[in-house]
Structures are given as C-alpha cells and as structure tokens.
Amino acid sequence: MGETEQRPTAGSRLGAQENAGISTLEHGQKPPLTPPGKLISIKIQMLDDTQETFDVPQRAPGKVLHDAVCNHLNLVEGDYFGLEFPDHKKMMVWLDLLKPVMKQIRRPKHVVVKFVVKFFPPDHAQLQEELTRYLFALQVKQDLAQGRLTCNDTSTALLISHIVQSEIGDFDETIDREHLAKNKYIPQQEALEDKIMEFHRNHMGQTPAESDFQLLEIARRLEMYGIRLHPAKDREGTKINLAVANTGILVFQGHTKINAFNWAKVRKLSFKRKRFLIKLRPDVNSSFQDTLEFLMASRDFCKSFWKICVEHHAFFRLFEEPKPKPKPVLFSRGSSFRFSGRTQKQVLDYVKEGGHKKVQFERKHSKIHSIRSLTAQPSEQHTEVPKQSSSFAYGDDSDAAAVQSCRQGKELKASTEDTGQHKSPSLKKSPKEGRKVDGAVVSTVEEEEEAAKDRMQQNRPQSQQPSTGSLTGSPHLSELSINSQGGPPVANMSLSPNLSPDAKQSSPLISPLLNDPSCIRTDDEEEVKRKRFPTEKAYFIAKEAATTERTYLKDLEVITSWFQSAVSKEDCMHETLKNLIFSNFEPLHKFHTGFLKEIEQRLALWEGRSNAHIKGDYQRIGDVMLKNIQSMKQLTIHLWKHNEILIELENGIKNSRKLENFCREFELQKVCYLPLNTFLLRPLHRLMHYKQIMERLCKHYPPSHIDFRDSRAALAEISEMVAQLHGNMIKMENFQKLHELKKDLIGIDNLVIPGREFIRLGSLSKLSGKGLQQRMFFLFNDILLYTSRGLTASNQFKVHGHLPLYGMTIEESEEEWGVAHCLTLRGQHQSIVVAASTRAEMDKWTEDIQMAIDLAEKSSGPAPELLAGSPPDNKSPDETTVDQESEDDLSASRTSLERQSPHRGNTTVHVCWHRNTSVSMVDFSIAVENQLSGNLLRKFKNSNGWQKLWVVFTNFCMFFYKSHQDNHPLASLPLLGYSLTIPSESENIHKDYVFKLHFKSHVYYFRAESEYTFERWMEVIRSATSSASRTRALSHKEPHAY
C-alpha cells in the first residue's frame, strides 16, 4: 500500500520520516485488509501541486488509497481531506471510501486524483496539527488562484500578504517584487501588488505557522470560504447555486448567499431523478414550505450533491460513524450510500488522546522548521531559541518591552521600530535607532503630529478581524470591522435613537462625574513615563485575565462580605438559606483570591521586576491557568448549587415581606452596582471568560511556542467545565431575568411561571385615542405586555394590558395608519397598533414577535391570565376611547401599594425607555460574554487633560472607579443607543488607541494602553452600542423548568 517510485515524495519534501506514518483509525481498530490481486497505479495531485503515484490492489476500497496518502504525508487529521476525480462524464466526484477503487476510477492511467480539503470546520482552531493548518492554507491559496474564493481587493491583498510572509519571510521590497512577479496568486495580480506589499510590511517577525493561522482566520470569515457551488433552479425556474457547509445547506444567487437551512431545521434530504428535496421540520418559520424542491442538471449531479450533503451532516453533527443499514431480503429501495470514516468529534477526541511523537517538517519556500506536538500536561522543559525583538511604546502609563518570535537557522537581529507618540493602531513601522536595555531594544519616543495624521488613515492588518469590506478611508467602526467573534461587520454603527417624550424629566442615566469638567485631572505625567513593559500580545491577554479576575473577586465579595455582613445584622433570613448561600460562595472566594495572586506574581516576573525575564521562563501564563483550572474542577460541586441558591432566595423573597424589603434596600447600596441575583450567576459567567481568554491565547501562539501545550490543555479543561454547566446557566439566566423584570413591573403577579422565556423588551409608541404614546413592551414566548412609566417614587412600570400570542398575527400597516415603522398586532380578542423609532427597530420586533407566535402555536394553548389589578384592554385600535388612562392612575393597582419604596432607576428597562430602544435575550447573552475591566484614560469633548480611571464594562454599561481597589463605582455610563467610532482628524486627538463614544451632545474619548486592549474595548463596547445578530441563541425545544 502506497508503494512509490524512488524519487522525492511528499512526505520527504516535508521532512517526514519514511516509516513514521500515523494511522487515521481509532484505537484498537485494524486497518482494512488489502485484497490480493493485481496492483494499479493511481496518480495523486497534492495540495502543493506535485504529483505522487500510489500502487493499490484493484479490489481495494477507496479507504485504502485515502489512508495511503495520509500515512505518506504523516497526516494525523486526514479525515478533513478527500480525494476527488473526474468520472466518465467529466464531472468532479468524491472517491467513495467503501467502494472498490477500480469501480470508481475506470481508466486510472488517464485520471489524476486530487487530494484536497473536503470538510471545512467552523473554526480552524479545531485543527490540532500545524501540518493540517498548513495544508488548509495551501487549499486557500489554491481556491484564490482558481477564483473559487471570491472577496474584495482589500481582503484578497491581506490573504496574499500572509501567504507571502509564510513563503519568503519578512518584508523586503526588492525580494517582494521579484517574488510577486514570479508567482501569480490571482489573475490580474499586478493591480494589487502595492497593497499586498503594504500589508506584508506589517507582518514583520511573523512565523509561517502564525501566517497560516492568520490566513485561515481571515478566510473563514469570507462568505465563499470552503464553498463549492452546484448549479440548480428553484420552482420558479430562477437560476441559483446550492452549496453545503458545516452549518447546513446554503442557497446562492451568483456569489451572494440568499438563504440558509441549518441542520437543525432540516428533517430529511432526498433526491428524485433531477429534483433535490429538502424536507423541513414543522417548527420552521412559516414563510417556508414544508418541502423545498430544486431542479439540477441531471440525476448524477443531483445524487452527487445529495451524497456530499449526507457526508457533511454526518461529519459535523454525529458523534460517531453511522452504522450500515441491514441489507433487504428481496429488493432495495433508494440509495444505500452512507458516510464512512470518523466524525469531527471522533477526530478531535483521537488527536487529543493520542500523545503523538514530535515530527519535524519543512515548508515549501521556507527554511523554518515546525514541530508538531500535543500534550495535556504543564510544560517542564523550556527550549532556548534565538529571539528577534521589536518594541513599542505607549503614551500612557503602560510599559514597553520586546515582542519575541522564534527564528532558527538565521543570525539574531535586533530591530527597532518607530513608535512615535502618535502612532496609529495600524502599528506601521519604520527603522529607527534605539537603545538596548537588558538585552531588549527600547525605542525612543517622539512627538510627530504630521506623521500621526497620516497614520490615522492606515488599516489594521495585524488585527485578527479582517473584513470583506473596506479597511481604510473612514474612522467609523463599521469600516474598521473589529470583530473577534467572526460575525459580519455592522452596516451602520452611528445610531441616532430618539429620547423619550418625557425628556424634561431628569434622566438617571446622566452622571455628574461624567458631565462635570471640573473633576478632570490632567495627567501630564502619563506623557513623561516611558517604562519598559512587554508589548507582545500574550502579555496583554494575561493582563486581561488579571484585571477581569480583580473585578470577579470584587463581585464575589459583594456576596461573601457585604451581603453576608448585612444579613448578619438583620433577622430576616432562615439559617438554612444562609448556609446554602455562603457555604457555597466562600470556598470560591478563597480559591480565586489565591488564583489572582498567582496571576499577578507571574505578570510581575513577566514585566521584568526580577532577573527572571532575561531567560524568558516566565513570559507565559498557560501553566498558571492550567494548574488553577484543574484545581477549579474540585469546586464544581459548589457551582452546581447556584441554581438551587437562586431559586431558594427568590422563594424566600416571595414568602417573606421582610426579606424582600431587605434585599431591595441592599440593592440600593453603592456596592451593589448590579441586581443582586446577577452576582449569584457571576461564577458561571466567569468560566466562559476563562474559556475566551484561553481561546485567544491558543489562537495567538504558534504550536511550537513554549506555552502552547499548557494553554491548549487549559482550554480543553475549561471547555469541558463550560459544556457541563452551560445548560444549567441558560436556565438560570432566563429565571434571573424574569425575576429582575418582575421588580420593574407593577400590576402583575404571576410573571415567573415554568416554561416562560423572556425574548425582548423595549420602547414602542402605541396608537390610542390620544395619538401615539410611548409604552414599554415586554415580549415572552407566550405573551406580550405593554406598560407605561409613572411619576411615582417607585420608578416602576405599570402594566396596562397584554396580548396572548396564541392565534396572533402581525402585519405592517404604515399606509393604513399613516405612521412610519408601524405594525398592527391582531390577537384573538383585541388588536393594537404600535410604531418603532426606526426601521431597524421595527424589523427586530417583527422577527422576534413572529418567532414568539410560532413558539406559542406549538404550546398547549393560550397563556394564563396575568394582570393582578386591571382587566385587559379588549378594545380595537380604531376605537377612539382606547387607552384613555392617565399617568396618575398608577397607584390604582393593589400591588402598587406594597412597592412604593425606592427602586433602582438605572436598570436596562429604564435605559431602553430613555434611549427609545430595545434589547433581546440574545443581546443579554452576548453581554454576558463581553465583560472587561482595566485602566482607561478618559477625556471630555472640550477639555485638554486625560483622567485615568479603572473601568468595568458589564451589563451594557461602563462603571468608573478611581482604582481597582475601590468598593463601589463613582459613576456609570449606560451605552445602549451610543455610537462607537474612531476620532477623526478634525477632532485633534493626537494619541494612539483612542475611541469615541457619543450620544446626541454627549461625547467621550477613551484611550487604551496597547493595540490589543484597544481592540478588546472596541469589541466589547460594540456589543452594547450595536444590536446583536438575531440568530436565535436560545433553544426552544424544551421549556425551562424551575
């Protein structure tokens, strides 16, 4: 199997040992028997465009040939790849691994079989081996050249720049021009050569493995990544293209995706002659038919596409290879085709448990060796390698030191970079003399205003968030496309929400600290400090772990210290409930106190406060994270108790007026800056943050890095914990949100019932006899509430009415009522007309209400009666007496009498009321993931000085402290409705890493310490200032049970 002629092979070109092949079978499985008989020679074209010849028996199944190629390449993750060839009708088909090769390839002497990527995973970080990522990068290169991977010029140039970096190394203008002249990566490449070289200039010091990673990071965000179009027609005869991906079946018109059917929506795939049929599940959106039909060119085309769909579904969705169906006794009906091979989960598990030997390989056009290795234990030995340094300086009190990258076979060169005070986040560099300190090169800093103005227009090629849109020419975030989550860039970030009609009232959202210029402290000393701190990305990722851990520890202290102290002074809580809460939170607080101490000690060593940094032994964080995450598993028993804690506390509040008043008064204290029950969910949220930190670290490190293995192992450990607790956390978040909303409402008693799920809340204008009046709407999976905000001290919203979603219809009615962005909601007993502030808001409400109607239709029947005080409003919107209530009748509800105590006026509900916007449960889920802490410099629009503040971003809001040691925030700034941009030249903000927040006349500038922290603040703040994608993040298959 796999005998070749005596000439250089693919494996030898990669530097692999001849007999070091690794089987792609599971442990304990035997390789397929090689049938005896005559050998046939099959020519295989590899991804590097070379050809190899393999001799296999005539009757050997396709898997024998596939395994021979994988073993020959020493490829562990060969299941992502396939063999394709032209059949007798010149149609490209995939080699069936179960059928004999000779029955598929009729004339092997005249056929060249291609070894290519078959399954493209959603995240290339799932590819464990560097060799696998290298082959994926070659596939991207090939798809670019063939025009299969289409994108705009900027993204194309960025992709090619990473390919060039991996092939010839660091930028040299002469070498670059010669290389681009000899190598054509795309047709009409000449027009992009200057842009390619401009991007390549910024990849200085990037290893081939890092270049592959960045290349795949960019490519995976492109719409055509991994897509093979199959021509078809819909029922109307319109020409379209079908494709299959890891998520499901996609529909394209030209190269534009117009529809997608996720695997969860698809019930059955079949074909009948030339017709390809997709049968959808009954809970799919009603605008789709139950069965979709597409007409393809021929039966063979149709069957070929059906087979690849079946394989994709099995590979990405199943846990193990499907078992073969029993053969029928008399006759068979339909195709017997099935997926053969390991699923993605089996591949990941196999590689994770493998413990493979290190294998060196050499890349084409590169002399840099790579070592493939995976281990789940902390690193004990550290390889000394030559290091190449470059340094950056920052304009505030952060520090600069060397960014290091491994180089072998080259003389060590220390290069300094121009890090002028006004350097833009693009990090454009130019050679400049520097001075050496302790072996690291520290550059001098100069004030260069003209250079800064030029650089502010540069793009950010080193960012891991490339876009298919323009990267230059505008300071707006939508064009910078800083998006680490992989989503598409937001179309327009400059939102202009309207204020509520009661704008004359003093808004609780405006803080004196944020609007009083007299409190600004001019920090000129920040301009003088020029300390030597690390500048590598891994350091700032580790620093983020430390800063967010400080905030998390403070949040735990709200429960273990402040709340416990207050409870001990008041006889309002049963001892059983006390023990349940504090016995499960105190061990967490004790553990994370030590965890934070270890992280801070490692950062101190990393920053060079001792001589340890010279050896480089402490310039890593993965070992610290792995050790503590493994220890954290012992605390899982306490995390499982949090669901019980939340339920028992709410039951106690429900049954005890004294405890209810106590908790409400505690929430009014400054230290309790969030709803009390939010702090009870913090330990589960923190696990997600650890996972995100480790994911960023693993994406940053090349596999050969000293910290890679520990980081990868830590990521595996924390991912396992998150997976175990994720379902419990989703239920708790919905339960917590329902109880939080209950505190904001009066006139309703049974809001929290089993099976109810919150979907969206926000401000809409309701048409009544008095015209359009602002109302607050609350959408659940079974009912829609509408409320108004009164002038009472309770600061709550009174429920005016509700519409059961069972049997409801929704339709646009702008022309009928003459009101922009108008909707008519028709229930079984009443109808209302509402208007949104913008078209985007109307679309969000329309989609969510329609989804909620579909969910209600699936339920057992209409929702139970909700209102505690007033009867439902059953009048039609065209009756002139509808909604004639005044704001003074808020005290009429019998439940309002017990709720006249002060209430928080800065909750999300109040923010949405003042900003005339809305948020969904999906937005809340995204907000949980997008939390950040750290130092920022803040500047007002008309001030000169920068004030240093400790900033905590959570729950769509920025909280400001003098330092991280403070127990409560000085002020807060809710960001819903704000626009996030980059300052323009005319604003004269000649500083690096500055972003701008503005809402109407309120303008704030914030300045980060590094490129990484700048990107992270932009990323998390954008999650609050822009609406999230409305893809359903919640599963509605089963109702939540409390």
Side-chain angles (χ1 to χ4, degrees):
M1 180 179 75
E3 294 294 332
T4 62
E5 301 176 14
Q6 297 298 319
R7 63 172 182 265
T9 64
S12 63
R13 283 198 316 277
L14 295 174
Q17 303 171 16
E18 286 298 325
N19 298 320
I22 300 174
S23 172
T24 59
L25 298 172
E26 293 287 354
H27 295 299
Q29 268 189 310
K30 295 181 179 179
L33 295 176
T34 304
K38 183 180 177 182
L39 297 178
I40 57 173
S41 296
I42 306 293
K43 292 192 288 288
I44 305 292
Q45 181 170 323
M46 301 298 181
L47 282 165
D48 59 1
D49 293 328
T50 59
Q51 287 189 8
E52 303 294 334
T53 302
F54 290 83
D55 297 329
V56 296
Q58 284 182 329
R59 290 185 292 169
K63 184 170 178 58
V64 171
L65 179 59
H66 183 270
D67 285 354
V69 178
C70 292
N71 290 342
H72 188 64
L73 292 172
N74 228 1
L75 181 60
V76 178
E77 298 169 298
D79 302 80
Y80 290 103
F81 301 82
L83 298 169
E84 67 171 357
F85 63 95
D87 65 2
H88 62 285
K89 294 184 179 180
K90 303 301 181 184
M91 181 177 71
M92 296 300 293
V93 295
W94 293 100
L95 185 73
D96 191 325
L97 300 184
L98 296 179
K99 289 184 178 181
V101 174
M102 196 60 186
K103 285 189 176 182
Q104 302 180 71
I105 306 175
R106 303 295 176 86
R107 303 176 65 188
K109 291 183 179 180
H110 305 282
V111 172
V112 177
V113 180
K114 294 184 177 181
F115 180 77
V116 294
V117 177
K118 186 175 185 179
F119 301 111
F120 291 81
D123 187 356
H124 57 279
Q126 295 173 340
L127 304 175
Q128 308 291 319
E129 291 279 294
E130 182 182 330
L131 174 59
T132 311
R133 290 192 292 270
Y134 170 56
L135 295 176
F136 266 74
L138 291 179
Q139 182 68 65
V140 171
K141 176 183 174 182
Q142 191 177 101
D143 289 347
L144 272 175
Q146 296 174 357
R148 185 179 290 158
L149 181 59
T150 57
C151 53
N152 63 24
D153 289 349
T154 301
S155 297
T156 301
L158 192 54
L159 288 168
I160 296 175
S161 70
H162 285 294
I163 296 174
V164 173
Q165 174 70 21
S166 69
E167 291 183 349
I168 65 174
D170 290 342
F171 175 80
D172 182 286
E173 185 170 355
T174 304
I175 298 176
D176 271 39
R177 292 199 181 277
E178 292 177 357
H179 185 77
L180 291 173
K182 295 178 182 178
N183 297 272
K184 298 300 179 185
Y185 297 101
I186 56 170
Q188 291 83 44
Q189 178 177 291
E190 293 77 10
L192 292 180
E193 285 188 359
D194 290 340
K195 187 173 287 189
I196 293 170
M197 293 171 62
E198 180 184 348
F199 283 134
H200 185 205
R201 186 192 305 270
N202 291 278
H203 303 332
M204 193 74 69
Q206 191 169 280
T207 65
E210 292 171 334
S211 297
D212 289 345
F213 199 94
Q214 296 293 337
L215 176 73
L216 297 177
E217 181 72 24
I218 300 165
R220 76 180 181 91
R221 302 177 193 278
L222 301 176
E223 196 165 65
M224 297 302 295
Y225 174 63
I227 296 299
R228 295 187 176 216
L229 299 177
H230 300 258
K233 293 181 181 180
D234 60 14
R235 283 185 172 178
E236 287 73 31
T238 304
K239 291 183 179 181
I240 58 165
N241 289 303
L242 297 179
V244 62
N246 57 79
T247 56
I249 299 174
L250 312 177
V251 183
F252 287 81
Q253 202 156 41
H255 286 79
T256 303
K257 185 170 69 174
I258 60 174
N259 214 338
F261 303 101
N262 291 338
W263 295 126
K265 296 180 180 180
V266 177
R267 181 181 178 185
K268 183 180 180 182
L269 294 175
S270 60
F271 70 96
K272 188 174 183 180
R273 297 185 180 90
K274 297 193 296 183
R275 291 182 297 149
F276 181 74
L277 306 173
I278 305 176
K279 191 169 185 178
L280 302 174
R281 296 190 182 277
D283 62 337
V284 78
N285 192 301
S286 59
S287 62
F288 295 128
Q289 302 167 356
D290 288 341
T291 303
L292 300 174
E293 183 178 309
F294 300 95
L295 191 66
M296 306 193 80
S298 66
R299 180 186 181 279
D300 289 343
F301 272 107
C302 195
K303 183 176 182 180
S304 177
F305 181 64
W306 171 79
K307 288 169 70 173
I308 190 62
C309 290
V310 170
E311 290 180 313
H312 270 73
H313 177 268
F315 184 77
F316 288 109
R317 297 280 289 184
L318 300 185
F319 288 157
E320 58 185 16
E321 178 183 352
K323 297 179 180 179
K325 297 179 181 178
K327 293 184 179 180
V329 179
L330 297 177
F331 58 89
S332 62
R333 182 182 179 185
S335 174
S336 62
F337 175 79
R338 67 179 178 89
F339 170 73
S340 174
R342 294 180 303 189
T343 64
Q344 187 189 29
K345 182 180 184 303
Q346 289 176 310
V347 175
L348 294 174
D349 291 344
Y350 170 70
V351 178
K352 179 181 176 182
E353 299 167 1
H356 307 295
K357 297 179 180 179
K358 298 179 180 180
V359 179
Q360 290 188 348
F361 69 90
E362 187 173 350
R363 299 158 177 269
K364 195 173 184 180
H365 304 302
S366 178
K367 296 182 180 180
I368 302 173
H369 296 273
S370 299
I371 297 178
R372 299 185 295 162
S373 61
L374 281 174
T375 179
Q377 299 301 324
S379 302
E380 296 295 333
Q381 298 179 353
H382 314 309
T383 306
E384 294 295 334
V385 293
K387 298 183 179 180
Q388 181 175 349
S389 300
S390 62
S391 63
F392 311 97
Y394 307 96
D396 50 60
D397 66 334
S398 68
D399 313 65
V403 172
Q404 297 163 349
S405 60
C406 298
R407 287 289 182 270
Q408 292 183 357
K410 292 185 178 181
E411 182 180 354
L412 174 63
K413 297 180 180 180
S415 62
T416 59
E417 311 299 341
D418 175 18
T419 57
Q421 179 63 26
H422 306 308
K423 176 177 58 61
S424 80
S426 65
L427 294 180
K428 184 177 180 180
K429 311 181 186 94
S430 61
K432 199 175 187 74
E433 290 187 1
R435 53 189 175 88
K436 282 192 174 183
V437 180
D438 293 338
V441 181
V442 182
S443 65
T444 59
V445 180
E446 298 179 352
E447 298 290 334
E448 298 175 336
E449 294 190 10
E450 296 302 322
K453 292 180 180 178
D454 294 337
R455 291 168 188 159
M456 288 299 291
Q457 301 302 321
Q458 297 294 331
N459 55 354
R460 305 173 56 80
Q462 285 189 342
S463 171
Q464 293 188 3
Q465 299 82 18
S467 164
T468 55
S470 173
L471 290 173
T472 58
S474 171
H476 291 282
L477 179 63
S478 59
E479 296 185 301
L480 283 177
S481 302
I482 301 175
N483 180 7
S484 70
Q485 301 300 323
V490 181
N492 183 8
M493 293 295 301
S494 301
L495 305 178
S496 299
N498 299 319
L499 285 175
S500 59
D502 57 349
K504 295 182 180 179
Q505 303 179 25
S506 60
S507 170
L509 312 181
I510 306 303
S511 163
L513 180 68
L514 296 176
N515 292 273
D516 183 9
S518 63
C519 70
I520 296 177
R521 176 170 57 90
T522 303
D523 280 342
D524 290 334
E525 64 270 20
E526 300 295 337
E527 301 298 326
V528 179
K529 291 183 179 180
R530 294 292 179 266
K531 295 182 180 178
R532 178 181 49 80
F533 268 38
T535 60
E536 54 185 331
K537 185 176 180 180
Y539 165 77
F540 290 107
I541 295 176
K543 193 171 183 179
E544 180 184 336
T547 57
T548 53
E549 189 74 8
R550 288 172 183 165
T551 300
Y552 173 54
L553 205 57
K554 285 290 184 182
D555 289 347
L556 289 179
E557 288 173 359
V558 172
I559 300 296
T560 60
S561 179
W562 298 91
F563 187 64
Q564 186 174 13
S565 175
V567 167
S568 63
K569 297 176 183 178
E570 297 285 343
D571 186 19
C572 60
M573 183 181 292
H574 290 296
E575 287 297 323
T576 305
L577 183 55
K578 286 183 185 178
N579 293 334
L580 179 64
I581 296 175
F582 303 121
S583 65
N584 284 287
F585 270 81
E586 286 174 347
L588 296 176
H589 180 266
K590 181 179 179 181
F591 172 82
H592 287 280
T593 300
F595 190 5
L596 175 61
K597 185 177 181 180
E598 286 192 43
I599 297 177
E600 290 179 335
Q601 288 175 345
R602 175 55 57 87
L603 285 176
L605 295 172
W606 199 334
E607 292 164 358
R609 301 179 200 174
S610 73
N611 292 329
H613 72 282
I614 298 176
K615 295 182 180 179
D617 290 353
Y618 297 100
Q619 294 182 352
R620 57 198 181 105
I621 195 65
D623 56 332
V624 175
M625 300 298 292
L626 177 58
K627 172 192 168 186
N628 284 276
I629 289 173
Q630 289 174 337
S631 301
M632 204 183 302
K633 283 192 169 184
Q634 301 174 6
L635 301 174
T636 306
I637 185 173
H638 299 295
L639 299 178
W640 281 109
K641 287 284 187 179
H642 287 190
N643 188 18
E644 182 182 351
I645 292 172
L646 189 61
I647 294 174
E648 291 301 319
L649 179 60
E650 293 297 344
N651 288 338
I653 291 174
K654 180 180 180 181
N655 298 325
S656 171
R657 181 73 57 81
K658 188 174 183 180
L659 180 59
E660 180 185 13
N661 292 333
F662 169 80
C663 290
R664 188 180 296 115
E665 290 175 1
F666 180 81
E667 282 191 333
L668 295 176
Q669 296 184 22
K670 291 182 178 180
V671 70
C672 189
Y673 66 100
L674 296 173
L676 177 60
N677 53 16
T678 301
F679 291 101
L680 300 179
L681 296 179
R682 276 296 192 249
L684 294 179
H685 295 165
R686 186 58 180 159
L687 296 181
M688 298 176 61
H689 302 156
Y690 291 140
K691 181 182 177 184
Q692 292 172 340
I693 288 170
M694 298 316 301
E695 285 175 342
R696 282 192 288 273
L697 203 59
C698 289
K699 287 182 180 180
H700 168 66
Y701 282 143
S704 58
H705 194 278
I706 189 175
D707 204 23
F708 178 80
R709 289 176 292 174
D710 291 346
S711 300
R712 177 74 71 180
L715 175 59
E717 297 279 358
I718 194 63
S719 298
E720 182 181 348
M721 293 182 65
V722 170
Q724 292 174 353
L725 294 163
H726 186 259
N728 195 39
M729 185 181 69
I730 293 296
K731 294 178 182 179
M732 291 175 64
E733 285 179 347
N734 183 70
F735 183 76
Q736 180 265 338
K737 188 55 61 181
L738 291 176
H739 277 281
E740 183 181 337
L741 295 178
K742 182 180 177 182
K743 297 174 185 177
D744 284 311
L745 300 176
I746 54 176
I748 182 172
D749 283 336
N750 57 338
L751 180 66
V752 184
I753 61 173
R756 174 163 292 152
E757 296 179 23
F758 164 70
I759 296 177
R760 181 174 289 276
L761 65 86
S763 174
L764 294 171
S765 296
K766 180 176 178 292
L767 185 63
S768 68
K770 296 181 180 180
L772 288 174
Q773 293 185 320
Q774 186 181 13
R775 294 287 178 262
M776 199 70 188
F777 281 72
F778 299 82
L779 177 64
F780 304 90
N781 63 335
D782 59 346
I783 202 162
L784 177 67
L785 302 179
Y786 56 96
T787 68
S788 66
R789 181 177 179 272
L791 303 175
T792 62
S794 66
N795 236 349
Q796 293 167 291
F797 290 81
K798 178 195 172 184
V799 178
H800 282 286
H802 69 281
L803 281 80
L805 299 180
Y806 189 82
M808 179 188 286
T809 60
I810 180 173
E811 60 187 36
E812 295 187 21
S813 52
E814 294 184 7
E815 296 182 359
E816 180 181 358
W817 297 100
V819 178
H821 319 309
C822 185
L823 297 171
T824 298
L825 307 177
R826 302 188 188 279
Q828 291 183 333
H829 304 292
Q830 67 182 114
S831 299
I832 63 172
V833 178
V834 297
S837 58
T838 63
R839 180 74 190 186
E841 279 292 304
M842 186 187 76
D843 290 342
K844 286 185 282 187
W845 277 105
T846 302
E847 181 178 348
D848 283 349
I849 292 174
Q850 185 60 60
M851 181 196 70
I853 292 173
D854 294 339
L855 293 173
E857 294 294 337
K858 294 193 305 180
S859 64
S860 57
E865 183 67 19
L866 277 178
L867 296 184
S870 56
D873 181 2
N874 293 324
K875 297 181 181 178
S876 175
D878 55 346
E879 295 182 35
T880 56
T881 56
V882 68
D883 253 13
Q884 295 287 348
E885 80 280 354
S886 68
E887 300 293 351
D888 296 328
D889 68 353
L890 285 174
S891 60
S893 170
R894 67 168 181 259
T895 57
S896 66
L897 297 176
E898 55 188 327
R899 299 201 178 184
Q900 289 301 311
S901 59
H903 182 72
R904 297 176 66 94
N906 63 343
T907 64
T908 305
V909 179
H910 290 84
V911 176
C912 290
W913 174 269
H914 284 280
R915 304 275 168 81
N916 204 13
T917 187
S918 68
V919 292
S920 68
M921 192 63 194
V922 176
D923 296 318
F924 282 110
S925 298
I926 294 175
V928 166
E929 299 176 4
N930 288 279
Q931 299 182 19
L932 195 60
S933 307
N935 286 311
L936 286 176
L937 297 178
R938 190 197 59 195
K939 178 183 179 299
F940 296 103
K941 183 178 181 180
N942 297 318
S943 66
N944 295 322
W946 292 86
Q947 182 182 10
K948 183 179 179 181
L949 295 169
W950 176 262
V951 183
V952 174
F953 177 82
T954 184
N955 203 34
F956 309 108
C957 189
M958 297 176 80
F959 296 90
F960 301 97
Y961 302 73
K962 284 187 177 180
S963 75
H964 68 85
Q965 298 174 339
D966 289 0
N967 292 320
H968 59 81
L970 300 171
S972 62
L973 179 64
L975 297 184
L976 288 173
Y978 264 75
S979 295
L980 174 66
T981 58
I982 305 295
S984 62
E985 291 184 19
S986 60
E987 293 172 271
N988 295 321
I989 305 295
H990 300 304
K991 302 294 179 185
D992 305 332
Y993 315 125
V994 176
F995 57 89
K996 172 184 175 183
L997 285 168
H998 56 101
F999 173 76
K1000 293 188 177 294
S1001 61
H1002 304 286
V1003 178
Y1004 308 102
Y1005 300 98
F1006 294 91
R1007 183 173 157 207
E1009 64 176 349
S1010 69
E1011 181 189 19
Y1012 173 79
T1013 52
F1014 170 84
E1015 290 176 357
R1016 286 289 295 135
W1017 280 107
M1018 293 281 279
E1019 177 187 332
V1020 299
I1021 292 176
R1022 188 186 57 182
S1023 70
T1025 57
S1026 64
S1027 176
S1029 170
R1030 283 162 288 161
T1031 303
R1032 293 300 103 200
L1034 300 177
S1035 171
H1036 300 285
K1037 295 180 181 179
E1038 296 180 2
H1040 296 321
Y1042 305 128

